[in-house]
Amino acid sequence: MSHRSIVFVSLLSLVMMILAVILGSGLIDVPETPTSPEDPVIPPIPEEYPFDNEIPDGFTLDLERNVLSAEDTVTWHVFDMYHTFMQDRYTEYSGYEVTSDHLDLSPGGYSITVGDDEFEVRIAGDVERTFSWKYRLDDSVQTVSVTISIPMEDLMEACDSNRIWNDRMISTHTYMPFTSLPELVVVDDTVRSLESALKMEYIRVGGDVEDRQGYADFLASFVQLAVKYPSTVSGKSFDYYVWGSDEYWCVPLETLYHGIGDCEDTSALLCALYLVAGYDAAMGGHSGHVFAGVVIDDFQERVLVDYSYYKLSYAYGITGFDVSGNPVFGDTLYRSVETIRGQLPVGYLAGGNSNLDKKTFWGYAGFYPVSG
């Protein structure tokens, strides 16, 4: 061996010895042995993710891209757990199918079936809802529109909890009592952001929020005109279209998510908006109908041209019951607000006060104050 070769080998040995010392000291991180192609690569779960999804073997869930993947091409049957019960007036919702090696999911909750595997997946994130309607302001008609974001984790929590509440109410009562109506009025961040958006729209079209009766009319128009009344299903109640139940009382977030609600649903939503806007509010009821109530100082009668059947309606709120079961009235006077009959101003109700302060199948008719 030449002298140059001996020097080169000696230098190479010295370098290898130095590297061994450095690696042994931990100064350089040594990458772990890569997984074999057969081992699934599971994407990391984002920190503080609100749902604990349990995914069967053979599938991976990428929560950064909201993609559910399989090892091969499969047929996914996807059932949106927060869809309306009916697809349309005549067809019950049954989900949809996708044939692919992956499934793109939007924020929501899903029941997934692939072959013999059945599991649930909940995806966090916001969904947007836009509401538009025509509002009559003085002698003009204005197009009004608001867009809100609903966090799916909030919607799921509200809906899951309220389904339990409704089941309990139905199982323990032969009816849904008026005394339980205030429990529907839930104020959350979505309701607060909605009221803020409505206020800006009211100002934009020329309204004055200092006109408390005028602004109360505008807030009422949102539930009257922008929220749809449930479609009829032959032989079923209005609640059946959305919930598959003869009777279901919604909290505001559920009504906003679907954009659909009957009288008690829209009344609860309007009461929540009134509370955020600084009004005193109450849930009202008489035989077969629920409506909202609001306190308006210096109330002024309106001229009703298209709604002559509706009369002035007001009553003091029911604050409790005496030992004989008769209502005890407070000193707060509430004005009735219809929530499902077109743009009807505050203070009017079909039949006026004739149906208030009477005992009905659902309890005493009247106003039940809410606190949110």
Side-chain angles (χ1 to χ4, degrees):
M1 179 178 296
S2 66
H3 176 74
R4 181 177 299 176
S5 298
I6 293 173
V7 172
F8 176 77
V9 171
S10 300
L11 288 174
L12 181 60
S13 299
L14 179 61
V15 169
M16 292 180 67
M17 290 175 61
I18 294 173
L19 284 175
V21 171
I22 294 175
L23 291 174
S25 67
L27 295 176
I28 297 180
D29 292 332
V30 180
E32 298 179 358
T33 303
T35 57
S36 65
E38 291 77 17
D39 294 333
V41 178
I42 302 176
I45 298 177
E47 293 183 4
E48 299 182 0
Y49 199 76
F51 307 123
D52 183 16
N53 292 303
E54 296 183 2
I55 308 302
D57 293 340
F59 304 93
T60 57
L61 177 60
D62 183 344
L63 291 172
E64 294 184 349
R65 297 186 300 127
N66 294 340
V67 175
L68 184 62
S69 301
E71 296 175 345
D72 300 303
T73 297
V74 298
T75 297
W76 312 84
H77 184 270
V78 185
F79 185 89
D80 182 351
M81 296 186 292
Y82 298 90
H83 196 281
T84 56
F85 185 77
M86 300 294 292
Q87 178 74 43
D88 53 47
R89 291 178 57 189
Y90 309 101
T91 310
E92 184 178 323
Y93 173 74
S94 59
Y96 61 94
E97 289 189 348
V98 176
T99 299
S100 176
D101 63 352
H102 71 279
L103 183 66
D104 295 313
L105 295 172
S106 301
Y110 306 92
S111 175
I112 308 291
T113 303
V114 180
D116 295 331
D117 291 303
E118 184 174 354
F119 53 99
E120 293 184 2
V121 175
R122 299 192 180 213
I123 302 296
D126 294 348
V127 295
E128 284 195 347
R129 293 290 184 265
T130 298
F131 299 88
S132 300
W133 68 103
K134 302 288 186 180
Y135 182 69
R136 296 195 308 271
L137 179 64
D138 298 328
D139 296 327
S140 65
V141 177
Q142 304 283 344
T143 299
V144 183
S145 180
V146 292
T147 297
I148 58 171
S149 293
I150 301 176
M152 278 306 304
E153 49 267 42
D154 291 353
L155 182 278
M156 293 180 193
E157 181 179 356
C159 190
D160 293 352
S161 175
N162 198 38
R163 285 174 178 174
I164 295 173
W165 183 86
N166 272 269
D167 289 344
R168 185 173 71 249
M169 293 292 293
I170 292 172
S171 65
T172 55
H173 297 83
T174 56
Y175 57 90
M176 300 284 266
F178 287 152
T179 53
S180 297
L181 284 170
E183 296 183 50
L184 300 177
V185 183
V186 179
V187 173
D188 55 25
D189 288 341
T190 299
V191 173
R192 294 185 185 95
S193 65
L194 172 60
E195 191 274 331
S196 178
L198 288 168
K199 182 184 297 181
M200 289 189 292
E201 276 294 272
Y202 186 54
I203 294 171
R204 183 187 66 80
V205 300
D208 180 6
V209 294
E210 298 302 320
D211 175 4
R212 299 302 284 166
Q213 187 171 343
Y215 187 43
D217 285 343
F218 181 74
L219 293 176
S221 78
F222 170 74
V223 298
Q224 292 165 346
L225 301 174
V227 179
K228 297 178 181 178
Y229 201 79
S231 298
T232 58
V233 179
S234 179
K236 303 293 184 179
S237 70
F238 290 112
D239 283 327
Y240 192 86
Y241 180 87
V242 182
W243 304 104
S245 173
D246 288 333
E247 192 68 35
Y248 186 92
W249 288 6
C250 292
V251 295
L253 207 57
E254 293 173 303
T255 301
L256 290 172
Y257 179 76
H258 292 294
I260 301 172
D262 63 4
C263 60
E264 72 273 2
D265 308 328
T266 49
S267 294
L269 173 55
L270 180 56
C271 282
L273 289 171
Y274 279 153
L275 290 179
V276 175
Y279 296 90
D280 290 329
M283 291 286 282
H286 66 62
S287 294
H289 187 43
V290 173
F291 43 93
V294 65
V295 175
I296 301 293
D297 296 328
D298 301 321
F299 176 83
Q300 300 294 317
E301 293 187 29
R302 308 295 197 193
V303 177
L304 298 185
V305 177
D306 302 326
Y307 300 96
S308 58
Y309 176 64
Y310 292 84
K311 308 297 182 183
L312 282 175
S313 176
Y314 49 87
Y316 290 98
I318 297 174
T319 58
F321 295 87
D322 61 23
V323 293
S324 299
N326 297 313
V328 175
F329 296 93
D331 56 4
T332 302
L333 186 69
Y334 294 93
R335 303 282 176 174
S336 297
V337 191
E338 283 285 4
T339 62
I340 62 172
R341 301 297 183 189
Q343 188 179 325
L344 188 71
V346 167
Y348 298 86
L349 190 68
N353 277 351
S354 60
N355 291 318
L356 297 185
D357 308 336
K358 292 183 178 181
K359 191 172 184 179
T360 74
F361 177 75
W362 299 270
Y364 273 93
F367 291 107
Y368 293 82
V370 299
S371 63

